[in-house]
Amino acid sequence: MIRTQEYNLNFGPQHPSTHGVFRILLTLDGERVVKAEPICGYLHRGVEKLAEARTYTQFIPYTDRLDYLAAMLQNWGYVMAVEKLMGVEVPEKAEYMRVISGELSRLASHLIAIGTYSLDIGAFTGFLLAFRERETTMDLLEELTGSRMTLSYARIGGVAADAPDGWLEKVDKFMDKMPTCIDEYDGLITGNEIFQARTREVGVLKPETAINYSISGPSLRGSGVDYDLRKAKPYGVYDRFDFDVPLGKNGDCFDRFDCRMKEMRQLVRIIKQAIQQIKEIDGPVIGKVPKVIKPPVGDAYAEIETSKGIIGYYVVSDGSPKPYRVHVRRPSFINLGYLDEMLRGYLVADVVAILGSLDIMLGEVDC
Amino acid sequence: MFGKGLVKGLEITWKEFWSPKTVIQYPEAQNPIPERFHGRFVLDTDKCIVCGMCANACPNKVISLKKQKVGTKQFLTNYVMNIQYCMFCGLCVETCPKDALHFSKVINMNQYFYNNIPLVLVQREAPAEQVEQEKPAAKPTPQLKADALAPTAESEVAASKASDKEGE
């Protein structure tokens, strides 16, 4: 009789499919995973501590660097928390600009998610096509904010600047084109039998487990749990848009992937409606905010739905111009909580598929 | 039927194969740079009133400026940006009350030598009728330990003057 022995394998931190610097210590029995220990912290910069030495406005560029693929959504969550603390009213136009730029950020993030996921599985063409549209998205964001990835566009009480002339028309035109592009990804990746064979019934996440582990975003909705903050607790002007929340059935890798794909179609709808509605609104893009921001003593928590899940910012003020404490609830980090049990029993090749389907962002995991 | 998806994928690849190229060969061709692009900083010294608000707005204390009093007005003698710590967030440009500081479209800020990295926007002598010299406006606050570790802009500028300017 052949005696087998378990052995350890270091997956990462410099592995391309970990999407950053993330390490999993795999205990393997042959090619089956027995145990997986996620080790993070390679990109830890102490953002929460840095906030304590910065003023409220100065912390905005640091939030970009949490989830740098969807920077606007991070900005938005933070400024919402400070606005809640101060009781500032945001002008309507600024809310619409936040929706448009935020949804464009979400598009850029989802395009990376599906593009790199197809690359993880081994389909290179899908990756290139997704990046082609991502480039256009980033060009549009660059025209609006001046930066491609770290936008720093949101400000406490509004946004940094109004849209340049003709920008909304450009976005509208791009959104007209986008559904055909998503059809292409569907044809190339989603419909591909090899892709389906690799992802269906792999890394199954049951709805009850997903809720118990506080998993959020497309990873939660892939399991069939209908919880999208934009619908469940509408913030900003999201209650004015008509859109659906795509849900999965089985909670496997394919469903999580498909949720992102369908979410892209929905965000195209949101942006088109927002552009239509913003044209009728005139006014400032930033509300009445004092020059030196000194929120009253107290604390506030605001959460929004980002591309990865629910991001929450908890800001404590002691009445000085600098926050006493800032805490970030990072969806990528919390979504990783179930990774160990999710990987058990699967093959080494499936580790890449499962990790990719969670769509983690290491800037956010390590904070 | 199994394999239908693969054929559809190949069809799309075939169609894309004949579509116009979207990739640009960078040094020869370049995408147009938008108006709001966060490039190298430019300071309009005639507009600048040496208020130091840009230095205070910066999250990373990148900007250091020195001034002298000439008659009744402040005169800017030194304006250095430690550009290696700059996040290009644009908060300094946004706070400038006189619109003196702004971004240009210059993207190439590479240097061969570390000492040449600080972006010296102003370095000049004050006119002769100066009365008294003032302390630097943007004095680093002691609570930031990163500041103490980072070499001060002035010393770096002095070093850059002495060193080779090949990188520029």
Side-chain angles (χ1 to χ4, degrees):
Chain A
M1 194 179 154
I2 305 163
R3 270 183 62 209
T4 57
Q5 199 179 6
E6 287 177 1
Y7 63 102
N8 285 341
L9 180 75
N10 250 326
F11 182 79
Q14 302 292 346
H15 192 280
S17 47
T18 59
H19 300 194
V21 276
F22 181 62
R23 187 173 138 213
I24 312 173
L25 187 58
L26 297 167
T27 309
L28 301 170
D29 179 16
E31 264 205 83
R32 297 270 166 195
V33 178
V34 178
K35 195 174 155 253
E37 191 190 337
I39 299 159
C40 55
Y42 290 94
L43 199 61
H44 177 68
R45 295 147 299 179
V47 169
E48 291 177 1
K49 186 72 191 166
L50 281 170
E52 293 165 22
R54 306 286 185 281
T55 64
Y56 285 91
T57 314
Q58 282 175 352
F59 185 57
I60 295 171
Y62 287 90
T63 59
D64 286 338
R65 283 145 181 88
L66 290 175
D67 177 2
Y68 36 83
L69 297 180
M72 178 55 202
L73 297 166
Q74 309 289 313
N75 289 176
W76 193 355
Y78 171 68
V79 295
M80 251 176 73
V82 181
E83 280 156 8
K84 207 169 161 187
L85 195 59
M86 294 173 73
V88 174
E89 207 168 294
V90 184
E92 217 178 358
K93 197 171 186 185
E95 290 281 19
Y96 276 99
M97 284 312 291
R98 282 180 186 184
V99 168
I100 295 170
S101 56
E103 293 298 327
L104 275 177
S105 280
R106 193 190 307 275
L107 177 63
S109 171
H110 277 356
L111 283 172
I112 278 253
I114 62 143
T116 52
Y117 193 52
S118 74
L119 189 66
D120 285 347
I121 301 295
F124 194 67
T125 322
F127 166 74
L128 291 178
L129 291 193
F131 265 63
R132 184 188 59 190
E133 267 68 60
R134 181 180 146 79
E135 199 62 27
T136 320
T137 317
M138 291 209 298
D139 281 345
L140 285 168
L141 287 171
E142 189 185 18
E143 212 172 305
L144 176 70
T145 66
S147 299
R148 290 172 74 80
M149 281 173 87
T150 49
L151 309 173
S152 303
Y153 182 56
R155 291 287 179 277
I156 294 157
V159 290
D162 200 355
D165 289 337
W167 186 78
L168 289 171
E169 285 74 28
K170 271 187 198 170
V171 178
D172 204 29
K173 221 173 138 192
F174 177 53
M175 286 303 125
D176 286 337
K177 197 187 117 197
M178 203 55 216
T180 41
C181 298
I182 301 172
D183 287 342
E184 273 189 355
Y185 314 145
D186 267 338
L188 258 178
I189 312 166
T190 321
N192 189 307
E193 278 88 1
I194 302 168
F195 178 80
Q196 291 192 9
R198 284 289 307 275
T199 52
R200 277 204 195 272
E201 283 160 32
V202 170
V204 178
L205 175 66
K206 290 197 180 93
E208 313 85 64
T209 330
I211 293 168
N212 286 348
Y213 275 81
S214 190
I215 286 166
S216 55
S219 306
L220 173 74
R221 292 192 288 275
S223 301
V225 183
D226 187 1
Y227 191 71
D228 187 325
L229 271 188
R230 291 174 293 173
K231 273 269 192 229
K233 290 182 200 164
Y235 51 91
V237 285
Y238 271 112
D239 48 349
R240 298 182 198 176
F241 305 123
D242 175 33
F243 65 99
D244 302 322
V245 180
L247 297 175
K249 273 182 199 151
N250 308 320
D252 53 16
C253 289
F254 181 81
D255 278 355
R256 287 192 283 273
F257 169 86
D258 203 35
C259 256
R260 292 196 181 91
M261 201 67 107
K262 286 175 181 156
E263 224 167 73
M264 286 202 296
R265 292 187 194 273
Q266 297 305 321
L267 72 85
V268 170
R269 279 176 71 192
I270 297 174
I271 295 178
K272 283 198 79 82
Q273 288 171 53
I275 290 172
Q276 224 165 38
Q277 292 174 21
I278 198 176
K279 281 178 181 162
E280 293 153 19
I281 300 164
D282 213 24
V285 287
I286 191 149
K288 279 185 185 137
V289 184
K291 271 203 165 171
V292 180
I293 289 167
K294 266 188 183 179
V297 181
D299 55 351
Y301 178 75
E303 52 183 12
I304 70 162
E305 184 78 34
T306 72
S307 52
K308 311 284 187 292
I310 297 168
I311 193 152
Y313 280 89
Y314 179 60
V315 183
V316 184
S317 165
D318 58 354
S320 71
K322 288 171 185 176
Y324 177 75
R325 175 86 169 92
V326 173
H327 177 70
V328 193
R329 180 220 190 266
R330 295 108 57 201
S332 296
F333 179 68
I334 291 162
N335 288 0
L336 273 180
Y338 190 58
L339 186 71
D340 177 18
E341 282 165 66
M342 214 189 230
L343 291 178
R344 281 181 195 183
Y346 289 104
L347 297 169
V348 178
D350 292 333
V351 173
V352 176
I354 295 169
L355 185 66
S357 76
L358 285 174
D359 187 24
I360 53 160
M361 164 44 57
L362 268 297
E364 209 176 69
V365 171
D366 297 340
C367 193
Chain B
M1 192 191 87
F2 188 81
K4 212 174 155 189
L6 294 176
V7 174
K8 201 183 173 193
L10 281 174
E11 258 172 43
I12 291 164
T13 315
W14 183 249
K15 207 187 86 203
E16 285 301 328
F17 185 72
W18 298 106
S19 63
K21 281 179 187 151
T22 47
V23 178
I24 286 176
Q25 299 296 327
Y26 166 60
E28 285 83 34
Q30 203 183 337
N31 272 329
I33 293 174
E35 210 51 51
R36 292 178 183 175
F37 183 73
H38 290 179
R40 188 198 197 125
F41 292 94
V42 177
L43 181 70
D44 192 340
T45 40
D46 295 334
K47 282 185 186 170
C48 180
I49 53 165
V50 211
C51 60
M53 274 170 81
C54 46
N56 286 331
C58 181
N60 278 353
K61 311 262 183 226
V62 166
I63 303 167
S64 63
L65 50 90
K66 274 184 191 166
K67 56 184 174 180
Q68 273 178 29
K69 208 166 188 185
V70 177
T72 53
K73 276 187 176 177
Q74 296 287 355
F75 188 83
L76 183 67
T77 56
N78 235 317
Y79 194 99
V80 180
M81 292 175 116
N82 255 331
I83 214 81
Q84 69 267 43
Y85 305 120
C86 180
M87 298 196 283
F88 291 90
C89 60
L91 288 175
C92 52
V93 175
E94 208 176 286
T95 38
C96 185
K98 295 285 170 190
D99 208 15
L101 186 68
H102 41 91
F103 287 111
S104 69
K105 291 182 185 178
V106 181
I107 53 168
N108 189 2
M109 281 176 276
N110 302 338
Q111 297 290 347
Y112 280 99
F113 298 103
Y114 181 80
N115 292 335
N116 294 337
I117 293 173
L119 185 63
V120 185
L121 290 177
V122 176
Q123 192 171 31
R124 58 183 182 186
E125 293 293 315
E129 63 267 298
Q130 55 170 290
V131 182
E132 57 184 312
Q133 197 168 351
E134 278 201 6
K135 280 180 182 176
K139 201 178 171 188
T141 43
Q143 70 195 66
L144 263 177
K145 279 180 188 164
D147 263 18
L149 292 172
T152 58
E154 295 95 275
S155 66
E156 283 183 11
V157 171
S160 75
K161 270 174 80 184
S163 74
D164 195 356
K165 287 271 179 181
E166 196 187 314
E168 284 188 358

